[in-house]
Every structure is written in structure tokens, then in C-alpha cells.
RNA sequence: GUGGGCGUAGCUCAGUCGGUUAGAGCGCCAGGUUGUGGUCCUGGAGGUCGUGGGUUCAAAUCCCACCGUUCACCCCA
């Protein structure tokens, strides 16, 4: 079997089994995705967040305004198209859509602070590489309607709790404050003034950044550039007193919660909407894309999207693909695919009919039941039962129909017992430990 | 957009100073057991050797182009 089609570059299929792509990256099986998603939801629930689901398709203008015209995302990474006069974009991130939804549906009228989480795919037309895809999956939260430092600290704590819960050690949390836009602009000027004399010593990329977005020069990994930056003015010197006090409070609260972090005055964010507190979680195990998650405050975004009053807010976004990379590196425990409680093998047409009917009843009773759907030999059915790791196999043939007793084989020991049809359901529920509740 | 790596069976890979009908392991299917899996034995299916062109008596192997993919830069989750 074959096809000339294949999945779009930068996307990947999530299959029942794990596999490795051509670059050697392990693509986790669907059961692991379910496990990670379930864990994320569990953590979110404990922190008392509600889920929000927004469309994958958004108006292009929302993203352009919300994320920022000057950003790489808007300039060259949007999957955007026009149809019947409407400009669509596949969302490249979820914060702008959530704020749009918050404003559109007047969620502030629910009262209090809105604490929302999301999980879902995003799209960016970048060159794919390890840990970076064109369709990727993010989860994250947004806390809207408060500028309290506790919201900042709680956002970070929630982020950390997810990685903690999943058993990913050795992460590093860096934090910084960007202050208010006016002070940041003043700082950018100061930084440019400081760096310009060194322009000849800077790398091509840093020189380009100096032109376009001086803050990004702070990102440099080159040692000699770091030396130049050592004496550069820092953002912290430029932020106003309120920003400074807010930042101090956030740090105190983090310490109270036992969250370890390092201050990084060079931490800046790529998206325009960030203000005040900003943070990033990275893992040394990840390679070039070391950022597991990142976020910060975006107190002005609502107004950028047309709100007549400000909505102070903070959130984080995390990459699922990178989370899996970290999970692999940490060799963290993950559950496998759920295996059937029982496989029912049928011999002959009459038995097949009985099995087909009985399977349905046992499933209704809460058992995970497997059976053959193509009339294969008993040998083949047993092989299938073994492959699926079913602890029990029922064998139903003419003999069993005659006696109205099922042959129940315990696969590990190989022992077989006869169980009257009437007791089958209860015996199986008892033996497999299912209580008739839902299947995971 | 720029640079490097890699494309042979479902998977992992051998095979390349050009030379019968392109191989192995695993997996899959079947038989050995006309009603019994996991071990073992036997057999089988499965390949446009990424695509196209060129060189040659002869190309998976040499040359060129293209395509795909991957890693990195850039940027970000």
C-alpha cells in the first residue's frame, strides 16, 4: 500500500505507536499526548482555571494588531489567505484570540478575575527544525482583569506546576521586567546609543538587530558581545518606581511559593504586547529551541484590540512538542496505550454472531473488549489477543455454544476455565478489576 | 531567505574501486497444531534503490539537475 501524498512539511502525524522522524526526533504516540493533556487539565483544575476554546481561524487583522506589525510572526510567518473578501489567518498564538474573545463576549461581566487556560494547535510558516513545527501545539493560561502581583506569581507557579507534575527536572526559570512602554522606549534609545559605537565589533545579526530591534541584541550568545553588554545600561535602571515595586513584589511572592528563578536583565520577549513582568522557562536538554514556555504581562493588549478601557492581564504559553523533548530527555514515566481487558475469539458463523452480540453487552458493562473483525483462524485470533496484551481471552465455538459456557483463558498462565454465559459479565468484571465505570 | 546532513522493504540498516534475478534483522501473513497466543521451525508477501536526465555493453553504485526531508542560522513555544 502506498500513496503519493504525504503530510505537509512542518507538520506531523500522531500515531498509535511512537516513531522517529528523519531527524531522529521521537514523535510521541497518541496515548502520551492524551496523558500530557490530561495532566495539564488536572493542574489547571487545581489552580481553578476554566478552559477556553477559540477558533483556529481568526481575522488576519486581529493577529497583525495584537501580536504586532513589526514582529517576525506577522511579517513573514503567518498562514494567511483571503476568501470572499475576508482575510483569514491560522492563529500563530492564542493570547490575542483569547483577549478578542474576552472583549467580544464581555467576560469581565462574569465578575471578578477571569482565569482561563487553553490547549490546541497553532501555525507559523517558519523553517521547521528540531522542536519547531509549522503546526505546533500550545497550552497556556491567561489571567485577565487584575494587575496584582499575585496574578503574576500564580501564573508562573501554574506553569512550573505542570512541568513538576510531569516529572521534568533541570528547568531554568528566568524573569525580568520590561516596565511600561514609555520607559522601555527610553531604554531602547539609551541602549542604541550605548551600542552604536561598538557596531563594528558586533556580528551581522546583532548589527541588524541594533537597527530593527535593539532589545534583541541582549539575546546574543557570543561571548565578546556579552562582554560589551556587561556595561550596558539595564532595563531595570529605566523602569519607573511602580514597575520596580511590582517586580519586587512578584519576586517576593515567588520566593514565598518556593519557586526558584534567576533574574535576567537581558530577557526580552519577541512579541510587542508584553509589558512589566516577563519570564521564560528553558531546558538545557532541548538544543537550539531551548524555550519550553514563556510569557508575561500584557496590560495594553486589550486597548490595542479596541477596548475603551484597559484590561490588565498576564499569561504564559508552552510548547507541547518541546515538552515531549524534555520528557524524553528526562526519561519521565508515561503510560502506554490502554490494553483490552479481554479478547473474544470466535470459531464459526454461529459463534461469531454470539460473540459480536456479547461483546457489545460486555462493553456496555464497562469492559474494554477486543475481537476479530475479519474471520481469521483461532490461531490468528490468539496471536492478535497476545499482541494486544489482553490478560484474558474468551474462546467461543460450537462446544461452548452447546454447553452455554465460555472457555476463559488466562494468557499469562495459560490456564483455562469454563464460565457459564450467565456469569461471564460478573466474572470478567471481578477478574479484571473493572467496576463497570468508564474506560479511561 | 542562507548553509550542512540524509533519501535502498512497514521499521532499522547492509550493499557503492559499476557486473547474474537488490539483501539482512525486526515486523507482517501463513503453515507446522482441520479449536489455542507469547518460545521454536518452515514458507510467503512486500522494493518505480526519492525523481528526471547523462556517461557506459552494463548504474542502487559515477556525473548533473530537481524534489523531499532533516539540522542550524534568523525567530520563537
Amino acid at each position: 500500500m502506498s500513496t503519493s501524498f504525504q503530510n505537509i512539511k512542518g507538520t506531523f502525524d500522531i500515531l498509535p505507536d511512537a516513531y522517529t522522524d528523519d531527524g531522529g526526533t521521537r514523535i510521541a504516540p497518541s496515548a502520551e499526548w492524551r496523558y500530557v493533556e490530561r495532566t495539564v487539565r488536572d493542574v489547571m483544575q487545581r489552580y481553578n482555571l476554566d478552559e477556553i476554546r477559540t477558533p483556529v481561524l481568526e481575522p488576519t487583522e486581529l493577529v497583525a494588531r495584537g501580536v504586532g506589525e513589526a514582529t517576525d510572526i506577522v511579517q513573514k510567518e503567518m498562514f494567511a489567505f483571503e476568501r470572499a473578501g475576508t482575510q483569514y489567518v491560522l492563529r500563530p498564538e492564542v493570547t490575542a484570540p483569547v483577549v478578542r474573545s474576552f472583549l467580544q463576549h464581555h467576560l469581565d461581566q462574569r465578575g471578578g478575575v477571569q482565569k482561563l487556560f487553553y490547549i490546541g494547535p497553532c501555525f507559523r510558516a517558519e523553517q521547521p527544525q528540531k522542536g519547531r513545527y509549522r503546526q505546533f501545539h500550545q497550552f497556556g493560561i491567561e489571567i485577565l482583569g487584575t494587575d496584582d502581583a499575585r496574578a503574576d506569581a500564580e501564573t508562573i507557579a501554574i506553569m512550573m506546576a505542570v512541568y513538576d507534575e510531569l516529572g521534568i527536572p533541570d528547568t531554568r526559570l528566568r524573569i525580568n521586567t520590561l516596565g511600561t512602554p514609555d520607559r522601555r522606549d527610553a531604554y531602547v534609545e539609551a541602549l542604541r546609543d550605548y551600542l552604536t559605537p561598538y557596531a563594528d565589533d558586533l556580528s551581522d545579526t546583532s548589527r541588524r538587530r541594533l537597527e530593527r530591534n535593539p532589545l534583541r541584541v541582549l539575546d546574543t550568545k557570543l561571548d565578546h558581545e556579552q562582554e560589551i553588554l556587561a556595561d550596558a545600561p539595564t532595563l531595570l535602571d529605566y523602569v519607573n518606581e511602580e514597575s520596580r515595586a511590582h517586580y519586587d513584589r512578584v519576586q517576593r511572592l515567588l520566593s514565598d511559593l518556593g519557586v526558584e528563578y534567576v533574574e535576567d536583565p537581558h530577557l526580552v520577549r519577541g512579541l510587542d504586547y508584553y509589558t512589566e513582568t516577563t519570564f521564560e522557562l528553558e531546558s538545557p536538554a532541548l538544543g537550539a529551541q531551548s524555550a519550553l514556555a514563556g510569557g508575561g504581562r500584557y496590560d495594553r493588549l486589550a486597548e490595542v484590540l479596541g477596548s475603551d478601557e484597559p484590561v490588565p492581564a498576564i499569561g504564559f504559553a508552552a510548547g507541547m512538542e518541546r515538552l515531549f523533548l524534555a520528557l524524553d530527555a528526562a526519561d519521565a514515566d508515561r503510560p502506554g496505550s490502554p490494553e483490552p481487558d479481554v479478547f473474544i475469539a470466535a470459531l464459526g458463523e454461529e459463534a461469531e454472531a454470539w460473540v459480536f452480540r456479547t461483546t457489545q453487552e460486555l462493553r456496555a458493562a464497562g469492559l474494554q473488549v477486543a475481537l476479530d473483525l475479519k474471520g481469521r483462524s483461532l490461531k490468528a485470533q490468539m496471536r492478535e489477543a497476545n499482541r494486544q496484551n489482553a490478560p484474558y481471552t474468551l474462546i467461543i465455538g460450537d462446544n461452548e455454544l452447546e454447553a452455554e459456557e465460555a472457555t476463559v483463558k488466562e494468557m499469562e498462565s495459560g490456564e483455562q476455565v469454563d464460565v457459564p454465559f450467565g456469569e461471564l459479565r460478573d466474572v470478567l468484571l471481578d477478574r479484571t478489576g473493572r467496576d463497570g465505570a468508564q474506560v479511561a
Side-chain angles (χ1 to χ4, degrees):
Chain A
M1 281 177 271
S2 65
T3 173
S4 56
F5 295 110
Q6 60 179 319
N7 63 293
I8 295 288
K9 176 194 183 82
T11 69
F12 57 92
D13 295 317
I14 298 168
L15 305 177
D17 294 318
Y19 66 99
T20 54
D21 68 20
D22 291 344
T25 299
R26 192 184 100 111
I27 308 296
S30 48
E32 289 185 18
W33 281 78
R34 273 200 308 279
Y35 159 70
V36 168
E37 288 160 0
R38 194 190 319 133
T39 304
V40 167
R41 288 171 196 283
D42 285 350
V43 170
M44 296 308 173
Q45 190 172 333
R46 266 186 276 150
Y47 280 85
N48 201 38
L49 287 96
D50 269 315
E51 183 175 7
I52 184 168
R53 302 192 188 194
T54 63
V56 159
L57 241 31
E58 289 284 353
T60 304
E61 186 61 18
L62 170 76
V63 171
R65 296 248 298 273
V67 176
E69 295 283 359
T71 60
D72 277 12
I73 290 179
V74 171
Q75 298 241 311
K76 51 187 184 188
E77 296 171 3
M78 287 197 298
F79 281 106
F81 59 96
E82 183 256 322
R83 185 175 179 91
T86 300
Q87 303 289 333
Y88 299 87
V89 65
L90 259 31
R91 66 180 183 196
E93 51 96 61
V94 189
T95 299
V98 167
V99 174
R100 187 223 86 221
S101 183
F102 173 92
L103 295 171
Q104 177 182 340
H105 298 287
H106 308 286
L107 294 188
D108 59 310
Q109 295 300 311
R110 296 178 77 218
V113 172
Q114 300 307 308
K115 294 171 58 174
L116 306 169
F117 81 91
Y118 59 81
I119 264 190
C122 295
F123 305 83
R124 293 181 197 174
E126 298 179 279
Q127 282 306 318
Q129 56 187 274
K130 195 177 184 65
R132 198 173 79 182
Y133 298 88
R134 288 184 168 180
Q135 174 174 343
F136 57 105
H137 301 78
Q138 287 196 340
F139 65 90
I141 75 160
E142 313 294 350
I143 299 182
L144 303 117
T146 175
D147 61 2
D148 195 296
R150 281 174 295 179
D152 302 42
E154 188 166 272
T155 297
I156 292 172
I158 293 166
M159 180 178 80
M160 299 306 288
V162 172
Y163 295 91
D164 214 50
E165 187 76 18
L166 289 167
I168 297 172
D170 303 327
T171 58
R172 196 166 72 119
L173 173 65
R174 294 182 298 140
I175 66 170
N176 191 23
T177 182
L178 298 173
T180 51
D182 59 318
R183 301 310 302 157
R184 180 171 33 164
D185 290 345
Y187 171 69
V188 167
E189 282 317 304
L191 182 63
R192 182 175 279 149
D193 290 346
Y194 170 83
L195 284 175
T196 301
Y198 294 101
D200 290 344
D201 299 328
L202 297 177
S203 62
D204 288 348
T205 58
S206 286
R207 223 172 304 129
R208 212 177 318 123
R209 287 166 166 178
L210 181 55
E211 301 275 322
R212 281 208 328 237
N213 189 353
L215 282 181
R216 299 225 64 89
V217 180
L218 299 173
D219 274 349
T220 184
K221 286 152 194 149
L222 300 173
D223 285 344
H224 78 274
E225 294 191 347
Q226 283 292 352
E227 283 172 30
I228 293 172
L229 287 169
D231 293 325
T234 96
L235 201 41
L236 210 49
D237 296 330
Y238 276 76
V239 304
N240 64 34
E241 263 178 55
E242 280 173 26
S243 294
R244 181 71 206 224
H246 180 86
Y247 188 47
D248 286 344
R249 282 187 61 209
V250 171
Q251 290 187 55
R252 260 200 316 281
L253 290 165
L254 285 176
S255 297
D256 282 352
L257 293 176
V259 174
E260 289 180 32
Y261 64 89
V262 295
E263 273 189 86
D264 181 359
H266 289 175
L267 175 65
V268 292
R269 313 247 78 230
L271 281 52
D272 279 0
Y273 51 62
Y274 287 111
T275 57
E276 305 289 353
T277 311
T278 181
F279 55 89
E280 190 166 303
L281 186 69
E282 56 181 15
S283 163
L286 259 54
Q289 271 65 238
S290 63
L292 277 173
R297 208 159 246 300
Y298 49 93
D299 292 341
R300 298 203 333 160
L301 179 55
E303 289 163 290
V304 169
L305 298 184
S307 175
D308 48 10
E309 48 189 307
V311 179
I314 184 165
F316 77 80
M320 298 269 284
E321 288 76 10
R322 293 177 190 185
L323 192 158
F324 275 108
L325 250 25
L327 229 35
D328 291 339
D331 202 24
D333 284 339
R334 279 153 285 178
S337 288
E339 291 159 354
D341 298 309
V342 57
F343 187 101
I344 309 186
L347 279 151
E349 269 180 45
E350 226 178 308
E352 282 177 4
W354 185 92
V355 163
F356 200 61
R357 207 180 325 117
T358 304
T359 296
Q360 179 81 342
E361 290 167 15
L362 293 174
R363 287 169 173 166
L367 290 158
Q368 181 174 337
V369 185
L371 79 166
D372 170 68
L373 290 176
K374 55 191 276 191
R376 304 208 289 173
S377 69
L378 179 61
K379 183 187 176 88
Q381 293 184 65
M382 294 299 293
R383 194 162 48 230
E384 183 65 25
N386 190 67
R387 178 170 29 232
Q388 295 196 29
N389 243 315
Y392 295 96
T393 298
L394 261 52
I395 297 166
I396 308 295
D398 292 340
N399 301 344
E400 285 77 8
L401 290 179
E402 178 86 15
E404 298 199 340
E405 288 184 341
T407 299
V408 177
K409 177 168 186 167
E410 188 189 5
M411 295 300 272
E412 191 169 331
S413 66
E415 285 169 15
Q416 298 190 177
V417 294
D418 294 331
V419 176
F421 286 168
E423 298 170 24
L424 207 45
R425 172 180 177 275
D426 289 338
V427 167
L428 287 174
L429 283 172
D430 183 54
R431 289 256 214 154
T432 61
R434 292 272 188 203
D435 56 3
Q438 76 285 2
V439 178

